Structure formats: C-alpha cells, structure tokens
Amino acid sequence: MRAPARELFRDADFPASDSSLFSNFSTPLAQFREDITWRRPQEICATPRLFADNPLDGQVKQGLLGDCWLLCACAALQKSQQLLNQVFPPGQPSWRDHTYRGSFTCRIWQFGHWLEVTIDDRLPCLAGRLCFSRCQREDVFWLPLLEKVYAKVYGSYEHLWAGQVADALVDLTGGLAERWSLKDLVRTSGQQDRPGGSEHRTCRQLLNLKDRCLISCSVLSPRAGARELGEFHAFIVSDLRELQGRAGQSLLLLRIQNPWGRRCWQGPWREGGEGWSQVDPADESELLSQLQEGEFWVEEEEFLREFDEVTVGFPITEAGYLQSLYSEKALCHTQELPGAWVKGQSAGGCRNNSGFPSNPKYWLRVSEPSEVFVAVLQRPRVRATGRAGRARAPARGECAVRSPASFLSEDYQAVGLHIWKVEKRRVSLPRVLSTPPVAGTLCHAYDREVHLRCELTPGFYLAVPSTFLKDVPGQFLLRVFSSGRISLSAIKPSAGSPAPGEALPEGEWETVQLRGSWRSGQTAGGSRNFASYPSNPCFPLSVPEGPGPRCIRITLRQHCQDAQCHPIGFHVFQVPVDGGSRSSPGLLLQEPVLSCVPHRYAQEVSRLCHLSAGTYRIVPSTYLPDTEGAFTVTIATRIDRRSIHSQERLGQLLQEASFMAVMKT
C-alpha cells in the first residue's frame, strides 16, 4: 500500500499571493500581476540544489525585480563560508531528503539581533521560470530563497524595488559598510586627509580588500552616451588587477559583474578593444579568459569617470570580529546601546541649534590606544502589522519596519555624530559642547547608518548623536567597534530642576547640584523669624559678566517622603562689591534680592529669576529651627552660546540603486 503524500509547509504569514508580491502596485512589477505563478523548486527543475559545487554556478543574477542592491550584497556570502552559515544555518534538508517539508530558515540581522525567519519554498515564476533573482545555474536556489526571506522581513517583494547596498550588507553580516563617492575621490586626489575622522581613499586601496570583503559600485546618473550601464544600478567589483603596461606605466584594471547577467559595456577594455594594446598579449589573454557572463573590464580612470559610488563591506575574521578597512586590525571589542530622540526632551537638532546639548549623550571610555568606529543606526518607523508577524502595506504616515526600498527623508532622518574628549566625567556639558569636537561627521546624512573612524588615546569621550532638525523624533542604536578595550554608558538626564508641571525655557542650561543638610543645634536655623537663621547652610552663587542679567532657576528639594515633608523655602542675598566674609551673619541680616517664601510643605520649591553679574549666597531653610533633614539645591543657569552655523550642513537625499532587467531566454 502506497504511503500517503507528505503535506508540505505553506507559510500563512507570507502566502503565495499578491499580498506578498505587492505593497501598493507602485512599481513596474505591477504589469506582471496576472502572469506570475508560484512553484516549488522541484516543479521548476528536475534536481534542485541549495548550493552549487562550483561557486561560479551560484553567481547572482537579477530578474524582473529592481533589487540589484540586495543581490550585490548577497554576493558577499559567497566570499565567506562563515557568513553563509550565519545566514543559512547548516543542516537544512534538501529536496531529496526524507525530512524535506517544504520550508527553509534564514537569519537576517535587524537592529542589534539576528532574526530567524522561516518561509515555504514556493517561488514567483513566469512561464515556469523564476521571475526574480536566480543563480547562474537555475537549479541552484539559495539566492531566490534568501530573496524571499528578505521580502518577508520587509513586507513584500515590491518593497525591495530600490535600496542601498550598504544597508543590505549590514542586514546580512551584522557589521559595517562604507559608501565612498568616486566624484569626491577624484576632487580630493592628492590632498591630505580631511579633519573629523574622514579618510582619504583611493581605488588602489581596494586591491588589499578584494579578497576579504564585498565591493560594489553604482551608477546614479550615467553620462550621455553611457546609457547601457543603466541608471541607479548597482554592480559587483569581482576582481582588481594591477599590471605593468608596455610603456612601463602602472595600470589598475577592475572586473565588473553586472547582476543582469549580460555584458552591457563596450568600453576600450572589451574583447578586441583598443585598451589591450597597452599590455602584453599574455595578460590580455589571461584576463579575458576570466570573464564570466555579465562581466567586463574597465581601467581605473574609466571606472572613476563612469561610476559614482563604491560600497565596501567590512571584512569579518574567522573569530567573528570585524576587521578595519584601513589598518586590518581586528575590532575585537564591541559595545552597543539603544537611544531615542524625543520631541520636546532629547531631540535638540544639530549644533546650529541652541538645544543641541539636550540630545542623547554617551560616555565612551577608552582604556588603551585604539582604532575605534562609532556608528549610529536608525530604526525604521514601525508599521502596523496585518497577519500575525507580517508587515502589511503602509498607508502614508504610518510607521513600520521598512525596506530600504523607499526610505528617503520620510522614513529616515538626516543624522550626524560628534565626539569630544574630556578630562574627567564631571564636566560642564554646555561648555564642552561649545568647543570643537575631536571627530564628527562632515554633514548630517540621510543614510540609515552613519559612522566615524577615530584613533583615540586613553581617556573619557563624549559621543552625541543628533538629527539635523530640532524636535524630530526617532530611535537609534549606537554601536562601537574598537581594537582596544572600551566601555560605553548612557548619560542619564539630570533630575528636572523646574517646579512640578513647569519646564525650563528653551535654550542651553548649565546645571549644578549642591547637597546639604539641616542638623539640630548646628545648621537647622529655621526661617528669618528666628535669631538662629544665620546658622543655616549657605551656598555661593557666581553670575558671570554678560550682555545682561542671566536667567537662573534655583530649586530646593528635600529628601523625604511626601507625608514627612517639612515646610521649606530659601532666600538669595547679594554679596557687596567690596567683598565681605562668606559666612558673615551681617550679610544674612540684609534684605534678600530673591525669596522663595512662604515656606511650603512640599518636596520641592523653585524660583525662576534674572540676576545681574555678581556674587550671591543661597540660604535654604526650614520654617522652624532644629528641624533636621537632607536636601539638594539645583542651580540651572542659561548659557547664551552662539550657534555654530559653519559646522553643520545637510547631506543630499540618498540615490537608491534600482533597475528592472527582463530575463532573456
């Protein structure tokens, strides 16, 4: 008797239907809506395999979907078995195994952790063939399965229509990726390194990286006459070779792989092109024999002219550490902390804004000389979900786990990062933040993640991530990778000095907290009604010279439960210009310039005032003498700091790589 057929897994959270293909039918993919069918690999070919024995057979090829940016990042997995095992956990059943149930599991890195995602293996097809990504050999399925996992994470295939190679590299490795503008590289060629943690980069630097990491290049706006390279299209730099020309000159050639899977560039280094006349025939024969379908050679000058950007993923060592693109040091020490910009509280904007010091702040302690990378990763806005655990197509204004396909400024803010070195952790933050940082981003960029490279000496550093605009909310993850020992901690906002229900006026405020106590028979002198009043604690207050009176808030808070509060208040006396003893009882017999009375049964009393430059004394007191208790006096002084308009500028909106290439039979 024949055994019953096994029931294969069907993913209800990402079904084989239009809801998984489309979000809002806004891309050219919509024209194929009626023709797309879903098939399992064994319905597409006779002997499906997950991976190929020959890496060239598993080479990525783009289909109808404009996700060249994702496919270029997927090619990084072919350079590292360790990365491949991280994304595709080993031991998954193949189609010939008796344990096969029609499901596969992958891992995608999302905002600080690896997310495990299971899908069924039904794949979109046109006329019986895969219509989206595929491998060089169509019986190899790791790539279309991973593409489906990515589409599930981001809500639909259509959400993958455009995006950044750097973002996909981070999602597939959990590491870092850098984007280099080739036009900037040409402009700054021969100049010294720019300040602020930036690096001077050259194409020859890629020679040392080609075997260790993924290198991609993009065309954003092709020159007239170069349209065959496509527009907003990403490529893979599959090799670099440095040759000596016949005239003794040095030549750098780059082998470019087009995800379309066909050659599209007829430059001087094409087969039979005039460029090869500069090298020995043996070199020409060797390099042309290496070309696979979709690959072509370009020379360095041609590369810089025709392409706009290079994206480089950081190498990952066998031990699982990131490796510096610059020094090749292993970044063995890592720290990360979440943070948020909250409107009206911690969204202070860039350094052009007076509210900059209110931004989230972090202590970074460096224990030994180190190469340090500090990164700010924005969390996408969180959309509501439709089916359990699956993001639905967004309405405008919703928040969601969003694909890099359509972020721009409505999904990600322009963000920056600045770092200051401080002598100790107890410092005047407003004053520190008014000085030039030791490192900072050149502008606030719309990238999902921005990062700085610094060579730091031991000590304490203050890191401040910010948005360009003030009062723009958002969440982020601060990540630090270092070659030496480090520690990272968030600076908690100081206890609010305003009276309950009352906020400080806008601007920068320097806050000082002074602790004291009233002790019976010693410092518990009571109110001014009693002769013992001068024995109360007396705290100095100095108001510096300025264009006018300073705005100051003085707050007295007693350390007790509400039910055990004593009536408290305070007075402020001005010290005469000719001086006088700090503890002179005669001073306290004068009329105060400011009083917070009558004494109230409250945990906290506060006064906002304007004081002219000079020296003052603050005297906190209970109403009755010999009433014991501990207290804190908080003095918040508004800092009139000039905005640093020359320091901050806004980066351009990101140009996303996206191109549809109809597969040729």
Side-chain angles (χ1 to χ4, degrees), residues 353-397:
N353 297 294
S354 60
F356 178 78
S358 66
N359 281 300
K361 294 172 283 292
Y362 297 83
W363 285 125
L364 173 63
R365 184 175 185 179
V366 179
S367 300
E368 54 192 316
S370 303
E371 181 180 15
V372 181
F373 292 83
V374 186
V376 180
L377 173 69
Q378 296 188 69
R379 181 190 283 276
R381 298 178 181 179
V382 180
R383 277 178 290 166
T385 57
R387 299 177 182 85
R390 175 175 175 263
R392 62 175 172 83
R396 196 157 187 79

Side-chain angles (χ1 to χ4, degrees), residues 3-24:
R6 292 171 295 177
E7 184 175 351
L8 298 180
F9 174 64
R10 290 173 174 263
D11 186 359
D13 291 337
F14 199 66
S17 67
D18 281 357
S19 64
S20 298
L21 290 171
F22 305 103
S23 58
N24 54 12

Side-chain angles (χ1 to χ4, degrees), residues 87-104:
V87 174
F88 271 96
Q92 302 196 53
S94 70
W95 291 271
R96 294 190 227 176
D97 295 340
H98 71 279
T99 54
Y100 166 73
R101 291 292 183 273
S103 65
F104 288 86

Side-chain angles (χ1 to χ4, degrees), residues 516-637:
S517 62
W518 297 291
R519 295 189 178 182
S520 179
Q522 299 180 36
T523 58
S527 67
R528 296 180 72 216
N529 294 340
F530 300 93
S532 56
Y533 176 76
S535 66
N536 278 299
C538 186
F539 297 98
L541 168 62
S542 179
V543 178
E545 295 286 344
R550 285 295 182 92
C551 184
I552 297 175
R553 180 183 290 282
I554 302 172
T555 303
L556 171 63
R557 182 180 181 85
Q558 57 178 318
H559 304 169
C560 64
Q561 301 297 323
D562 287 337
Q564 301 172 345
C565 285
H566 303 297
I568 58 172
F570 62 84
H571 298 278
V572 178
F573 301 86
Q574 185 167 16
V575 177
V577 178
D578 59 358
S581 172
R582 165 180 275 190
S583 59
S584 171
L587 175 65
L588 304 189
L589 296 178
Q590 300 176 7
E591 282 300 310
V593 296
L594 172 71
S595 296
C596 185
V597 292
H599 288 65
R600 293 195 299 132
Y601 284 93
Q603 258 196 333
E604 183 176 287
V605 295
S606 182
R607 280 293 306 272
L608 183 68
C609 61
H610 289 81
L611 296 178
S612 300
T615 303
Y616 300 84
R617 298 289 184 266
I618 302 172
V619 181
S621 63
T622 57
Y623 181 73
L624 295 176
D626 295 329
T627 303
E628 295 198 332
F631 62 84
T632 298
V633 173
T634 301
I635 306 168
T637 304

Side-chain angles (χ1 to χ4, degrees), residues 127 172 174 243 319 408:
L172 295 177
L243 302 176
L408 294 182

Side-chain angles (χ1 to χ4, degrees), residues 196-197 199 370-374 419 438-440 452-456:
E199 295 295 327
S370 303
E371 181 180 15
V372 181
F373 292 83
V374 186
I419 297 175
V438 297
L452 289 173
R453 174 186 179 268
C454 317
E455 294 281 353
L456 299 183

Side-chain angles (χ1 to χ4, degrees), residues 189-208:
S189 179
Q191 299 179 10
Q192 293 183 349
D193 292 3
R194 292 174 291 181
S198 64
E199 295 295 327
H200 179 63
R201 308 170 178 110
T202 66
C203 280
R204 276 176 165 73
Q205 185 179 353
L206 300 177
L207 278 170
N208 298 325

Side-chain angles (χ1 to χ4, degrees), residues 50-236:
L50 191 57
F51 300 107
D53 296 329
N54 183 351
L56 295 178
D57 293 339
Q59 190 168 284
V60 303
K61 295 187 71 172
Q62 185 181 355
L64 296 178
L65 194 60
D67 62 348
C68 53
W69 58 280
L70 170 62
L71 304 188
C72 288
C74 288
L77 303 182
Q78 295 181 298
K79 287 181 171 284
S80 169
Q81 188 64 43
Q82 176 187 351
L83 284 180
L84 189 62
N85 290 343
Q86 176 68 64
V87 174
F88 271 96
Q92 302 196 53
S94 70
W95 291 271
R96 294 190 227 176
D97 295 340
H98 71 279
T99 54
Y100 166 73
R101 291 292 183 273
S103 65
F104 288 86
T105 298
C106 293
R107 299 190 191 104
I108 305 293
W109 189 87
Q110 293 283 282
F111 205 72
H113 68 276
W114 287 94
L115 177 67
E116 198 164 88
V117 183
T118 298
I119 56 166
D120 65 36
D121 59 357
R122 293 177 293 176
L123 299 170
C125 295
L126 271 177
R129 297 182 64 200
L130 292 169
C131 61
F132 298 148
S133 74
R134 59 189 174 100
C135 293
Q136 188 71 29
R137 282 189 57 121
E138 293 189 47
D139 60 349
V140 178
F141 285 91
W142 73 269
L143 182 63
L145 289 172
L146 180 56
E147 182 185 51
K148 183 174 183 179
V149 165
Y150 213 77
K152 180 178 180 179
V153 169
Y154 287 103
S156 71
Y157 278 95
E158 195 171 47
H159 271 137
L160 306 185
W161 189 264
Q164 288 291 317
V165 178
D167 295 345
L169 277 171
V170 172
D171 289 343
L172 295 177
T173 66
L176 292 174
E178 284 194 1
R179 292 169 48 241
W180 302 350
S181 168
L182 295 178
K183 303 313 179 225
D184 286 347
L185 190 152
V186 172
R187 283 196 298 268
T188 60
S189 179
Q191 299 179 10
Q192 293 183 349
D193 292 3
R194 292 174 291 181
S198 64
E199 295 295 327
H200 179 63
R201 308 170 178 110
T202 66
C203 280
R204 276 176 165 73
Q205 185 179 353
L206 300 177
L207 278 170
N208 298 325
L209 300 172
K210 65 175 184 175
D211 296 325
R212 299 189 288 126
C213 57
L214 187 281
I215 304 172
S216 173
C217 56
S218 299
V219 173
L220 302 180
S221 300
R223 295 184 308 106
R227 295 291 174 185
E228 59 265 41
L229 286 176
E231 188 172 19
F232 306 115
H233 188 43
F235 301 77
I236 300 164

